[in-house]
């Protein structure tokens, strides 16, 4: 395991080495236990790092950490560690996670409105990431997290039928892939039905997501635009094929560390939440 260390605003690798030496192992074993019961937990944990929401595994880890070392390990750090562990469990490369964050009284990470929407232009996506200190490469790399997990028909079915009032489909969709998507998401069908971001590889953390973008098989319009826009296509091209996988694995860890250090609270700022889903009273 290796990673480029990006320290930010008081975080450091091994922050809990003396105050709670089992912190990282408790998180990783908890994530692994839940993953064995339900592999869909991995993409959920990865998304949580952006969306500031919680699933039971985080509360489970927090309960164990409070028993081992009360009031020491923040929910923000549990999220950062669990996101890394979820990538490893699905076959991705590990990275060193700087810890030492404290929990905010409002949000742990990106505000939901700060996240790119599924129809958003590349310029708008870049602006939102830039506001967090993240560059265009970080944008492409972190969207690459869609290599695992699913989305719902309601977020892309408009591309399959009357796209932008054209009475046809989005021309960016590969013509041979279109019938497959239409079968999964019939017109006026169940909008909550789940569909893999990375067809045939939704449980493996690999770089085939980028191959899909090249081939016109991106599910979300905002994802497919990464290939169709020249400024991001050059970055996507770096992650194509077997050689691209190695590069993607390295860059994903780097970008996750950068993202997890945006707006971070350390020192005496914020608090250490007792329960991750609620601020301390």
């Amino acid at each position: 395991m290796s990673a480029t260390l990006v320290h930010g605003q008081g975080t450091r690798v091994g922050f809990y080495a003396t105050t709670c030496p089992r912190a990282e192992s408790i998180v990783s074993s908890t994530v692994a236990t839940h993953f064995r019961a339900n592999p869909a937990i991995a993409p959920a944990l990865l998304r949580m790092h952006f969306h500031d929401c919680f699933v039971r595994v985080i509360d489970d880890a927090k309960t164990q950490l409070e028993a081992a070392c009360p009031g020491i390990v923040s929910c923000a750090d549990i999220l950062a560690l669990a996101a890394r562990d979820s990538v490893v469990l699905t076959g991705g490369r590990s990275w060193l996670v700087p810890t030492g964050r404290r929990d905010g009284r409002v949000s742990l990470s990106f505000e939901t409105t700060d996240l790119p929407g599924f129809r958003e232009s590349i310029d708008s996506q870049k602006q939102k990431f830039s506001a967090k200190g993240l560059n265009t490469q970080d944008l492409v790399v972190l969207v690459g997290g869609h290599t695992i997990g699913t989305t719902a028909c309601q977020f892309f079915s408009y591309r399959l039928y009357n796209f932008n009032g054209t009475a046809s489909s989005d021309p960016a969709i590969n013509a041979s892939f279109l019938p497959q998507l239409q079968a999964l998401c019939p017109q006026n069908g169940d909008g909550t039905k789940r569909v893999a971001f990375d067809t045939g590889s939704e449980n493996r953390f690999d770089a085939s997501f980028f191959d899909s973008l090249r081939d016109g098989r991106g599910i979300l319009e905002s994802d497919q635009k990464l290939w169709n826009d020249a400024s991001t296509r050059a970055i996507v091209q770096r992650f194509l094929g077997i050689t691209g996988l190695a590069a993607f694995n390295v860059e994903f860890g780097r970008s996750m560390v950068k993202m997890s250090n945006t707006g971070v609270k350390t020192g005496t700022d914020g608090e250490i939440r007792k329960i991750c889903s609620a601020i301390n009273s």
Side-chain angles (χ1 to χ4, degrees):
M1 180 185 76
S2 62
T4 297
L5 303 187
V6 182
H7 299 271
Q9 304 177 43
T11 60
R12 67 177 188 273
V13 171
F15 181 85
Y16 298 113
T18 55
T19 55
C20 191
R22 292 182 55 233
E24 294 201 24
S25 63
I26 287 172
V27 173
S28 62
S29 64
T30 304
V31 172
T33 297
H34 284 263
F35 176 79
R36 283 192 292 272
N38 177 17
I41 203 72
L45 288 169
L46 190 52
R47 307 285 182 267
M48 280 191 334
H49 215 24
F50 298 86
H51 291 277
D52 187 24
C53 57
F54 296 91
V55 293
R56 192 175 63 201
V57 59
I58 295 297
D59 287 327
D60 190 1
K62 180 62 172 172
T63 299
Q64 294 184 53
L65 286 164
E66 285 300 298
C69 17
I72 298 295
V73 183
S74 68
C75 297
D77 277 342
I78 296 173
L79 276 174
L81 293 167
R84 185 266 313 274
D85 295 339
S86 70
V87 168
V88 174
L89 284 165
T90 49
R93 175 177 166 172
S94 189
W95 64 89
L96 299 175
V97 177
T99 45
R101 298 164 193 76
R102 289 169 66 84
D103 298 321
R105 289 192 161 271
V106 180
S107 174
L108 296 182
S109 190
F110 275 63
E111 296 286 354
T112 302
T113 53
D114 292 338
L115 288 163
F118 55 89
R119 302 187 77 154
E120 205 142 335
S121 70
I122 293 299
D123 282 345
S124 181
Q125 292 184 58
K126 285 182 189 174
Q127 287 166 12
K128 287 187 173 181
F129 271 66
S130 179
K132 296 291 185 181
L134 301 170
N135 59 31
T136 303
Q137 176 166 293
D138 295 319
L139 165 64
V140 174
V141 167
L142 292 172
V143 170
H146 284 168
T147 179
I148 55 174
T150 61
T151 186
C153 288
Q154 62 189 322
F155 298 124
F156 68 91
S157 58
Y158 69 91
R159 300 181 66 206
L160 311 181
Y161 303 101
N162 187 26
F163 180 66
N164 290 344
T166 60
S168 185
S169 60
D170 182 347
I173 301 174
N174 185 311
S176 65
F177 188 46
L178 180 63
Q180 187 176 335
L181 292 180
Q182 290 175 328
L184 290 168
C185 300
Q187 198 162 16
N188 304 315
D190 179 5
T192 65
K193 183 178 179 183
R194 306 301 296 184
V195 174
F197 283 117
D198 191 6
T199 308
S201 180
E202 65 266 30
N203 295 317
R204 287 197 309 276
F205 194 92
D206 54 27
S208 62
F209 171 77
F210 297 110
D211 295 327
S212 293
L213 298 186
R214 175 200 59 199
D215 298 338
R217 295 165 65 94
I219 303 298
L220 298 184
E221 184 181 0
S222 56
D223 288 358
Q224 187 58 51
K225 284 175 177 174
L226 294 176
W227 179 260
N228 299 340
D229 186 289
S231 67
T232 46
R233 184 190 304 125
I235 301 169
V236 172
Q237 287 172 326
R238 287 185 50 210
F239 303 135
L240 297 175
I242 299 299
T243 55
L245 175 59
F248 174 54
N249 267 312
V250 171
E251 296 302 340
F252 192 80
R254 288 176 175 161
S255 291
M256 284 292 283
V257 170
K258 279 181 68 176
M259 190 272 292
S260 69
N261 275 326
T262 61
V264 71
K265 295 183 185 302
T266 57
T268 56
D269 289 345
E271 64 186 16
I272 304 297
R273 291 187 186 182
K274 294 183 177 68
I275 300 170
C276 289
S277 53
I279 61 171
N280 296 341
S281 55

